[in-house]
Amino acid sequence: MTDYSTIDFDSLVALAGDDEVVTHSYVRDIRLASGKTLALLTLDNGRDHTRPNTLGAATLLEYAATLDALKARAAAGEIDAVAVTGKPFILAAGADLSKVAEIPDKATAKKFVQLGHYALAKLGEVGVPSFAFTNGLALGGGLEIGLHADYRTVDASAPALALPEVFLGLIPGWGGATILPNLIGIENALKVVIENPLKQNRTLKAKDAFDLGLADAIFPSVNYLEDSLKWADGVINGTVKVKRPNEPGKLERLAKWDIAIKIARDTLAKRIGTVPQAPYAALDLMKAAKSGTRAEGFQREDEVLAELIAGDQLQASIYSFNLVQKRTKRPAGAPDKALAKKVTKVGVLGAGYMASQLALLFVRRLQVPVVITDIDQARVDKGVAYIAGEIDALLGKGRISPDEANRLKALVTGTTDKADFADCDWVIEAVFEELEIKQNVFAEVEQFISPEAVLATNTSSLSVEQIGSKLAHPERLVGFHFFTPVALMPLIEVVKTSHTDESTLSTAMVTAKNLKKNAVITADTPGFVVNRLLAVLLGEAMKAVDEGTSFETVDRAIAPLGLPMAPSALLDLVGLKVGAHVLDTHHAAFPDRFYRSENLHRLAEYGTLLEKDDKGKVKGFDKGALKLVAGGKNPRTAEEILVALEDGLAREVKLMLDDAVVAAPEDIDLCMILGAGFPFQMGGVTPYLDRVGASERVFGGTFHNPPIRGVEA
């Protein structure tokens, strides 16, 4: 096994330079009620909550030295326990990714990984009971700090606990892949390490973490530290017995462990393909964690994580991460926030499924009155009932309190009288995707609302400017395109027409932020960004099918892009009629570039493409659907289809940039990552197109110079 004490870690500090924001380890002794002494180590980088504690080389060395000193004090009988906690609201957010991205080679990467193991493991080696008091945010290495303690508590208000590494092209390599499955069981560990990160980087609330077994006790924030100290005192003197019902036993190791890993591996292959390295590496480590020692597991983590840090997928992931974390905070073209109008009441035109989802989101996030309308009272009542049911479902899951549920339901009303929209500051439509219908509902409601009220359309493919052509004040109309499911998808395409004024645009951007969504400003052009590029994909897919290529071959051809679903599944999700409409719209606008498929219209009339069982699980392709599209005489190979798609995407992206649909390639990448699930480890669609040579083939250049490292396929 590796002897970490013989490694020269000081060289890492010199390599990092002087700009590490060091998270210091401060210690104070606390006399417990029993008379025992607990040494409380507090991690604090001296910054406010907007700059979380992070774990760089200097931080880890100071932490290790502090724990060594506490171990010596424990041996001398000066202290009876050690606990680690963080500055207010934050334990730690893991390693500083900007520094990780600068690591020059695998040897240095391995040394940094070993430093993490060397430092964090010391909490479990102090010679007295050790505790982690997770008082707030704990991500990645921050969560792994606690895994090395003997016991753990969590603040009930902690906003996010997670091991997000596989989302970033890494693995939880400071003990997470080895310790976690042996602490909470393999299925729970797979949820934390694999499933949650790949669901738009989902995190755990404190109660969820406690239920999984990541903490032994949970206390309200009002007296969190006092309650944790009292609980720790009970553990030390034996009056508190810690139970861990999720800890795996012999039967789980013999019968369940390998099966759970296999199911996870098969699920990953279907969902994301086999291109991403990190999730499969994490699975291998967790499978190996079933047996052997921690030290052996840590050594495996050292090797795997060093390999990933030095690899191209991490570099691409860091590019994606910076887009999502930084560019979204300073959207290109966004006007001054001071120009934004206050939104104190929202009107939703429509009461169908999409409109009801929008109403639910607005009332939850903005906490203002929301009124919905439709063509008759029955539809309105159905929409209000749906929203109330969704609020009750949130209550049942413990996501909101009974008081909040009652308050939210009281804020939602329905009407068939547009005059009830008179005091709305923001009115959004989500009616049928037909130009004249949208024009008419806006023209009708405009006569009742203030000239200052903002009008927004959720259209996915129609011209926003044409939608507003019957308005007296088209300057207060903006596109506000959501993606489904509305509650989960993080992107809103904010569409600016030639009439949209700065105040309206500013209001849209601020409202998107208040809805906890990321907004990208686009020009008013067919499909905006995401649907325009997906139309390229669906068009190429249907063209290949019409030529005689099987759907299986088409799905396999496009798999190297790593998208969340194959073209056939995407068509099934959005609906065959919607898919046909999207292609028709783009073909009408750009007939020389976008393909229109008669076969897709036949499928839409037929009504199904995929055969499913009673539970909705896909069994395969519907035989009747396949007969409808049969007859093509010029099938293509998967390789030919992929190259054609790559070139089509490169052509369309270049045209979008030339036409200033968005400000920069980064905005297209951001839209595709957040709106279409383009994988982080690809680094966005434009770096991918550079790497595979499509940019060079299409326009003789690249979108980025130098190209951004990452995986090709």
Side-chain angles (χ1 to χ4, degrees):
M1 295 297 102
T2 302
D3 182 358
Y4 294 124
S5 65
T6 64
I7 299 173
D8 173 26
F9 292 125
D10 290 327
S11 61
L12 291 172
V13 179
L15 181 67
D18 299 328
D19 59 346
E20 178 183 339
V21 178
V22 178
T23 298
H24 294 290
S25 297
Y26 300 106
V27 177
R28 62 187 173 109
D29 288 355
I30 295 178
R31 178 73 68 173
L32 303 174
S34 65
K36 303 282 189 180
T37 298
L38 179 145
L40 181 65
L41 188 160
T42 300
L43 297 170
D44 192 342
N45 63 5
R47 307 293 180 89
D48 66 17
H49 68 280
T50 62
R51 180 64 193 252
N53 296 331
T54 50
L55 308 177
T59 295
L60 290 168
L61 286 169
E62 180 178 324
Y63 179 74
T66 303
L67 287 172
D68 282 341
L70 291 175
K71 182 177 181 179
R73 291 185 63 202
E78 297 176 14
I79 55 174
D80 303 289
V82 170
V84 174
T85 193
K87 69 180 184 181
F89 316 116
I90 294 166
L91 180 59
D96 185 339
L97 282 176
S98 64
K99 291 297 180 186
V100 173
E102 294 172 0
I103 291 176
D105 51 51
K106 182 180 176 181
T108 306
K110 186 172 182 179
K111 188 181 289 189
F112 180 69
V113 177
Q114 291 173 325
L115 172 58
H117 276 133
Y118 168 75
L120 267 58
K122 288 182 180 294
L123 182 58
E125 300 168 352
V126 289
V128 290
S130 60
F131 299 83
F133 298 158
T134 306
N135 65 310
L137 181 81
L139 304 176
L143 187 64
E144 287 171 306
I145 286 173
L147 295 181
H148 290 271
D150 297 323
Y151 308 98
R152 288 157 290 279
T153 71
V154 65
D155 186 321
S157 67
L161 294 90
L163 293 174
E165 284 85 353
V166 300
F167 184 68
L168 301 169
L170 300 171
I171 50 99
W174 284 344
T178 298
I179 300 173
L180 192 67
N182 288 295
L183 177 68
I184 66 174
I186 186 60
E187 290 181 336
N188 287 337
L190 287 168
K191 180 183 181 72
V192 177
V193 175
I194 304 291
E195 182 181 332
N196 283 356
L198 296 181
K199 285 184 175 179
Q200 295 293 335
N201 212 7
R202 181 180 293 178
T203 60
L204 298 168
K205 299 293 187 183
K207 179 64 163 56
D208 301 324
F210 171 70
D211 290 342
L212 287 174
L214 281 164
D216 300 309
I218 183 170
F219 300 114
S221 57
V222 62
N223 288 310
Y224 172 68
L225 182 57
E226 293 84 348
D227 289 343
S228 291
L229 290 168
K230 182 179 179 181
W231 182 84
D233 197 11
V235 172
I236 295 166
N237 62 41
T239 59
V240 171
K241 302 297 182 184
V242 176
K243 296 180 180 179
R244 292 176 179 154
N246 294 335
E247 207 166 51
K250 182 179 290 187
L251 181 62
E252 177 171 336
R253 295 182 191 281
L254 287 174
K256 187 187 291 186
W257 202 289
D258 289 347
I259 294 173
I261 293 287
K262 183 182 186 306
I263 291 172
R265 194 181 302 276
D266 292 344
T267 302
L268 276 179
K270 290 177 182 176
R271 276 194 58 214
I272 64 172
T274 57
V275 174
Q277 299 167 350
Y280 295 100
L283 284 180
D284 290 341
L285 289 169
M286 294 169 76
K287 180 178 181 179
K290 180 177 69 170
S291 58
T293 65
R294 276 194 183 185
E296 291 168 340
F298 293 172
Q299 194 166 29
R300 289 190 293 266
E301 289 177 354
D302 288 340
E303 293 295 331
V304 172
L305 186 51
E307 188 78 36
L308 291 172
I309 289 174
D312 287 346
Q313 289 199 7
L314 175 66
Q315 297 300 321
S317 295
I318 295 295
Y319 169 78
S320 302
F321 181 79
N322 286 334
L323 289 181
V324 172
Q325 293 296 314
K326 298 177 181 178
R327 193 169 181 87
T328 54
K329 293 178 173 61
R330 294 181 293 277
D336 187 343
K337 295 176 185 176
L339 297 174
K341 303 170 185 178
K342 288 187 177 180
V343 176
T344 60
K345 183 177 179 180
V346 171
V348 180
L349 298 168
Y353 178 63
M354 187 66 179
S356 298
Q357 285 190 79
L358 295 182
L360 178 64
L361 179 69
F362 275 92
V363 75
R364 280 200 70 200
R365 297 298 186 215
L366 303 189
Q367 304 273 315
V368 299
V370 174
V371 57
I372 68 173
T373 188
D374 215 308
I375 58 176
D376 58 53
Q377 192 63 46
R379 294 171 193 254
V380 171
D381 291 344
K382 184 178 179 181
V384 172
Y386 169 83
I387 296 165
E390 290 297 295
I391 292 171
D392 286 336
L394 291 169
L395 173 63
K397 295 176 183 177
R399 303 277 295 277
I400 57 176
S401 67
D403 285 346
E404 185 176 1
N406 290 332
R407 185 171 66 254
L408 292 176
K409 284 191 281 189
L411 287 171
V412 179
T413 57
T415 184
T416 57
D417 186 353
K418 302 294 192 303
D420 292 337
F421 280 57
D423 55 347
C424 291
D425 313 294
W426 175 282
V427 177
I428 185 168
E429 70 78 17
V431 298
F432 189 71
E433 190 77 350
E434 188 172 301
L435 180 60
E436 188 174 1
I437 293 176
K438 292 181 184 289
Q439 288 174 333
N440 289 340
V441 296
F442 271 145
E444 182 184 356
V445 80
E446 188 180 29
Q447 62 186 307
F448 297 108
I449 61 176
S450 160
E452 297 298 311
V454 172
L455 296 175
T457 171
N458 183 48
T459 184
S460 60
S461 59
L462 299 175
S463 165
V464 176
E465 189 160 324
Q466 288 182 26
I467 289 172
S469 63
K470 295 182 180 181
L471 292 174
H473 297 281
E475 70 278 359
R476 43 102 160 260
L477 176 64
V478 66
F480 209 65
H481 178 219
F482 288 85
F483 294 81
T484 55
V486 168
L488 298 179
M489 295 301 286
L491 178 68
I492 295 175
E493 291 176 325
V494 174
V495 185
K496 179 183 179 182
T497 76
S498 62
H499 300 298
T500 307
D501 63 27
E502 292 291 275
S503 178
T504 297
L505 188 60
S506 177
T507 306
M509 297 301 287
V510 170
T511 300
K513 182 179 180 182
N514 291 339
L515 292 172
K516 299 185 180 179
K517 300 293 185 182
N518 298 305
V520 175
I521 296 173
T522 85
D524 185 20
T525 185
F528 314 129
V529 173
V530 175
N531 282 349
R532 183 163 165 178
L533 294 183
L534 289 181
V536 175
L537 185 151
L538 290 178
E540 194 60 51
M542 286 310 304
K543 182 180 180 183
V545 169
D546 293 352
E547 290 171 344
T549 312
S550 68
F551 267 109
E552 289 95 336
T553 300
V554 171
D555 286 352
R556 188 173 72 252
I558 295 172
L561 268 70
L563 291 169
M565 57 186 67
S568 60
L570 179 61
L571 281 169
D572 181 69
L573 177 70
V574 303
L576 295 165
K577 288 185 177 180
V578 173
H581 175 72
V582 168
L583 290 189
D584 286 353
T585 301
H586 286 81
H587 178 76
F590 311 112
D592 57 326
R593 302 204 310 272
F594 286 89
Y595 183 75
R596 184 184 185 278
S597 171
E598 282 296 334
N599 273 336
L600 186 53
H601 280 274
R602 294 189 186 96
L603 287 173
E605 287 300 317
Y606 181 70
T608 187
L609 173 60
L610 301 174
E611 185 181 357
K612 300 176 183 178
D613 61 20
D614 294 339
K615 296 181 179 179
K617 186 176 180 181
V618 175
K619 296 166 61 177
F621 289 97
D622 182 272
K623 293 179 181 178
L626 295 183
K627 286 182 181 178
L628 281 177
V629 300
K633 304 298 183 182
N634 299 296
R636 283 185 281 161
T637 66
E639 293 75 16
E640 290 170 334
I641 295 167
L642 180 60
V643 170
L645 173 59
E646 291 168 347
D647 289 357
L649 290 171
R651 175 202 65 215
E652 213 56 39
V653 169
K654 183 66 165 58
L655 288 168
M656 291 162 77
L657 294 172
D658 290 345
D659 294 340
V661 174
V662 291
E666 288 81 0
D667 295 308
I668 287 177
D669 293 330
L670 194 55
C671 285
M672 293 303 287
I673 289 166
L674 298 178
F678 202 85
F680 254 51
Q681 80 279 350
M682 293 290 193
V685 66
T686 63
Y688 169 81
L689 295 172
D690 286 347
R691 289 193 303 271
V692 298
S695 308
E696 183 69 34
R697 292 194 299 268
V698 170
F699 60 89
T702 56
F703 293 112
H704 300 272
N705 191 17
I708 293 163
R709 289 166 56 195
V711 64
E712 293 180 7

